[in-house]
Amino acid sequence: MPASPSPQPSSQPSSTTARVSRRIGAIAESATLAVDAKAKALKAAGRPVIGFGAGEPDFPTPDYVVEAAVQAAKDPRNHRYSPASGLPELKEAIAEKTLRDSGFRIEANQVLVTNGGKQAVFNTFATLLDPGDEVILPTPFWTTYPESIRLADGVPVEVFAGPENGYKVTVDQLDAAVTERTKVLVFVSPSNPTGAVYSPAETAAIGRWAHDRGLWVVTDEIYEHLTYDDMPFTSIATAVPELAEQVIVLNGVAKTYAMTGWRVGWMAGPVDIIKAATNLQSHSTSNVANVSQRAALAAVSGPLDAVETMKAAFDRRRRAMVAGLNAVPGFSCPTPEGAFYAYVDVRGALGGQHQTSADLAGYILDEAEVAVVPGEAFGPSGFLRLSYALGDDDLAEGVERIQKLLEK
Ligand code: PMP
């Protein structure tokens, strides 16, 4: 058989070939990052900007976790490639921790350790979705969800729940959104961006609904330890054990142990899915940095004292923030029951100069030098997300500046 000619590099790029692929070109700029970039630029220029944009605890990683990493860095075992799916001892500890914290029983071979919770989100949709598969996405949603669904050629189907419903979708709403193409339901409780927490009964009803329709449930439990006012955390996987073969649990050390920069998360689910997702990861990023995995091992197999301390501070700030924001004309802020975000309904403050929440966020940043994230990052306009993971004094000052600006 004659050898096929090797393709000749063309000197002229074809005019029909875009420089950036359609798939990547379609990714929306993150509104969260846009606000953050503007706030950082102002700060760098010496302006006293107060940032409510951050999605991370303002506490340091606990000492014993850092110490485990220091020791790990000195051990040559950690200087080499390790299994793409994660260190066996870490996967074992994650299985034990999952049983301890949420009552969901899994084995180590049902865990894939990822580069932060974000890679677990990406891997999950890449592994579950075929082109055109629909994913029901309760809205407001964390901004990475629709992008990673679309990157996997899936179709996000937004189901909006406003403050009137405590930012929680109902089974009736889900029923109205389901079609023959629906494959997955996303369930995030406590929620980023709204701080909403589904009760045990609500969680079980939604889990049963998904199971009855043969849907997969992708449940993000990264804020499991941050609930307030005696609101319990409920894992949908435990509430509806029949889901076991069709549930993927996403989690990580970022929020519970103040470890956002260490980049360790995981996905847990049925063995075949984890195996397939591991194949994907083995060609994309391979193993997560061993030093970070050793730090995560110390974190998940250790106590939960650090998160209890953070939680007490977040709870105090949460109350101060909600009270302050509700005093702003046109603002209405329900009390969030979890995570560390307040989601303010600002529809009453729009119109005239500021038609959208993006306009309003821009105005607050320009005039009061306070950074907040507009609802457009998470769904419809009309809302602002403020993180209360910042110092009490900054929080009070920032809320006061917004009050003064909008009282005018
Ligand atoms: N899920 C949710 C709901 C989040 O808010 C975040 C962080 N913003 C993550 C997952 C991912 O966290 P990380 O990649 O830092 O582990």
Side-chain angles (χ1 to χ4, degrees):
M1 215 166 79
S4 51
S6 50
Q8 294 299 309
S10 97
S11 51
Q12 293 281 313
S14 149
S15 59
T16 56
T17 309
R19 287 167 62 79
V20 175
S21 71
R22 261 180 245 166
R23 171 176 283 153
I24 302 304
I27 299 177
E29 184 196 9
S30 157
T32 329
L33 294 187
V35 170
D36 201 46
K38 197 164 175 191
K40 286 201 173 116
L42 283 169
K43 251 191 187 159
R47 304 304 312 169
V49 174
I50 293 185
F52 288 114
E56 57 185 346
D58 58 321
F59 291 83
T61 302
D63 285 345
Y64 62 92
V65 174
V66 175
E67 193 46 44
V70 170
Q71 294 310 320
K74 293 179 180 164
D75 182 345
R77 275 186 317 156
N78 297 317
H79 300 175
R80 306 277 174 255
Y81 290 131
S82 59
S85 66
L87 296 172
E89 41 286 57
L90 177 57
K91 295 199 294 177
E92 201 64 62
I94 288 169
E96 279 169 29
K97 165 253 165 286
T98 304
L99 184 62
R100 176 193 70 185
D101 295 343
S102 72
F104 187 46
R105 190 177 291 280
I106 46 169
E107 305 291 332
N109 66 353
Q110 291 181 263
V111 177
L112 168 59
V113 179
T114 56
N115 195 61
K118 238 174 212 179
Q119 191 182 21
V121 172
F122 179 87
N123 284 350
T124 296
F125 292 119
T127 305
L128 287 181
L129 300 181
D130 276 315
D133 283 346
E134 293 177 4
V135 179
I136 296 184
L137 185 59
T139 305
F141 46 73
W142 177 44
T143 187
T144 287
Y145 274 98
E147 297 302 347
S148 54
I149 292 165
R150 279 192 284 263
L151 270 173
D153 283 337
V155 179
V157 176
E158 298 179 17
V159 176
F160 180 76
E164 311 76 33
N165 303 321
Y167 297 117
K168 294 189 275 193
V169 296
T170 62
V171 164
D172 285 346
Q173 284 183 291
L174 298 175
D175 234 4
V178 78
T179 75
E180 279 166 16
R181 297 305 309 264
T182 310
K183 183 163 185 188
V184 180
L185 167 71
V186 172
F187 186 76
V188 185
S189 174
S191 154
N192 175 7
T194 65
V197 182
Y198 287 78
S199 72
E202 290 162 343
T203 306
I206 289 175
R208 276 196 298 272
W209 174 87
H211 180 256
D212 289 349
R213 277 149 195 80
L215 301 182
W216 283 83
V217 177
V218 172
T219 178
D220 188 332
E221 304 191 341
I222 206 155
Y223 295 100
E224 64 185 332
H225 291 293
L226 293 173
T227 63
Y228 310 99
D229 296 336
D230 300 324
M231 186 70 181
F233 161 73
T234 313
S235 173
I236 199 165
T238 311
V240 184
E242 309 89 279
L243 276 174
E245 273 307 299
Q246 298 220 154
V247 68
I248 309 285
V249 179
L250 309 179
N251 208 330
V253 293
K255 318 289 174 172
T256 303
Y257 305 97
M259 291 179 70
T260 46
W262 297 78
R263 311 311 303 138
V264 183
W266 56 88
M267 58 185 282
V271 173
D272 58 336
I273 300 295
I274 294 303
K275 179 84 188 59
T278 303
N279 290 344
L280 165 65
Q281 186 162 305
S282 75
H283 289 293
S284 55
T285 54
S286 300
N287 64 277
V288 172
N290 292 325
V291 171
S292 283
Q293 290 199 66
R294 297 274 172 208
L297 176 59
V300 298
S301 47
L304 290 166
D305 305 357
V307 68
E308 286 304 319
T309 306
M310 290 196 290
K311 192 167 122 165
F314 292 154
D315 190 16
R316 186 177 68 238
R317 299 168 186 175
R318 174 180 75 113
R319 292 163 197 279
M321 177 174 267
V322 169
L325 291 173
N326 275 320
V328 178
F331 278 23
S332 168
C333 185
T335 303
E337 284 167 325
F340 40 64
Y341 309 99
Y343 209 62
V344 200
D345 181 352
V346 299
R347 289 174 291 188
L350 299 180
Q353 248 188 304
H354 319 295
Q355 290 297 321
T356 64
S357 44
D359 293 345
L360 185 64
Y363 176 67
I364 293 172
L365 182 56
D366 291 341
E367 299 296 322
E369 301 191 306
V370 173
V372 299
V373 188
E376 284 85 341
F378 314 106
S381 169
F383 304 88
L384 298 178
R385 189 193 78 174
L386 285 84
S387 161
Y388 46 87
L390 79 172
D392 298 67
D393 293 345
D394 276 356
L395 189 151
E397 162 82 19
V399 171
E400 203 181 306
R401 285 195 209 167
I402 298 175
Q403 280 173 357
K404 283 203 178 125
L405 178 70
L406 298 180
E407 262 163 16
K408 285 185 202 159

